[in-house]
Amino acid sequence: VQPEGENYANPKTCLFHVLFKASALAFYILSALFIDNFVIIFVVTVLLAALDFWVVKNVSGRILVGLRWWNEINDLGESVWKFECLDHESLARMNKKDSWLFWWTLYITAVAWIVLAIFSLIRLQADYLLVVGVCLTLSIANIVGFTKCKKDAKKQIQQFASQTIASRFSSTLQSAFSVV
């Protein structure tokens, strides 16, 4: 168990986890003030959001919360979600601050993109709504992926606990009857 005043266990990962999210949002917001070229705004904002998506999905998700997800198309052409998580003991040792930062920034970023979408709608700027839509889609994809992965991890932990209890109960019964 970690002390109450614990620090971030992975400060560099936390920094990059927040940095890409903040840079996509900041560039989008500030570019409207300083850049008059929609193509540049679109390309740079979507590139930053894509970098954020990749970093969260493949790096910070694994390091900060011990989860990883991906989607594959099977031989039948169906979409199949794949989940990967650390073992029970490793998940129990994950840093609470790292985990808190991971989940809250994931949700806050999506909320920020939703607010920006509302502003684009109010201002009747369909082109900027497209930028926000792409960024929101990437953000929500990570939320859905990691939420499903977390549920799958909990299910695996419950199955492991049930199997462990059943195994111990079985061995206890066996040893009780072998003594007799």
Side-chain angles (χ1 to χ4, degrees):
V1 178
Q2 297 179 359
E4 188 65 33
E6 70 180 329
N7 288 323
Y8 293 101
N10 302 288
K12 289 179 184 173
T13 305
C14 290
L15 173 70
F16 283 104
H17 179 75
V18 173
L19 186 66
F20 283 114
K21 289 173 182 2
S23 62
L25 285 164
F27 182 82
Y28 176 78
I29 293 167
L30 295 175
S31 65
L33 302 172
F34 301 112
I35 300 173
D36 196 26
N37 187 333
F38 172 74
V39 174
I40 291 173
I41 295 170
F42 181 88
V43 170
V44 173
T45 304
V46 170
L47 181 64
L48 290 169
L51 286 170
D52 171 54
F53 175 80
W54 186 87
V55 166
V56 170
K57 187 173 163 306
N58 295 304
V59 180
S60 64
R62 184 180 291 181
I63 294 172
L64 300 180
V65 291
L67 303 172
R68 185 169 165 250
W69 66 272
W70 65 96
N71 194 295
E72 294 178 353
I73 305 299
N74 68 12
D75 295 337
L76 301 173
E78 300 165 331
S79 179
V80 179
W81 288 85
K82 301 283 185 168
F83 306 109
E84 188 177 272
C85 69
L86 296 176
D87 60 63
H88 175 63
E89 287 119 23
S90 298
L91 282 174
R93 287 192 309 263
M94 296 302 293
N95 183 286
K96 301 292 184 232
K97 276 190 173 181
D98 287 358
S99 178
W100 181 89
L101 177 87
F102 177 85
W103 289 106
W104 276 98
T105 56
L106 212 59
Y107 290 113
I108 287 171
T109 303
V111 169
W113 287 119
I114 290 169
V115 169
L116 291 170
I118 292 168
F119 281 125
S120 293
L121 278 172
I122 291 170
R123 294 168 53 197
L124 300 173
Q125 294 179 318
D127 48 355
Y128 286 91
L129 188 59
L130 177 65
V131 177
V132 173
V134 170
C135 296
L136 181 60
T137 300
L138 291 170
S139 187
I140 288 175
N142 263 333
I143 291 171
V144 170
F146 280 105
T147 301
K148 285 184 174 191
C149 191
K150 186 177 182 180
K151 287 180 182 177
D152 187 67
K154 284 182 180 177
K155 186 173 73 176
Q156 286 179 8
I157 290 169
Q158 288 171 344
Q159 287 173 344
F160 174 76
S162 298
Q163 289 171 350
T164 303
I165 290 169
S167 168
R168 289 193 178 158
F169 181 72
S170 172
S171 64
T172 304
L173 279 178
Q174 285 176 345
S175 61
F177 285 114
S178 64
V179 171
V180 175

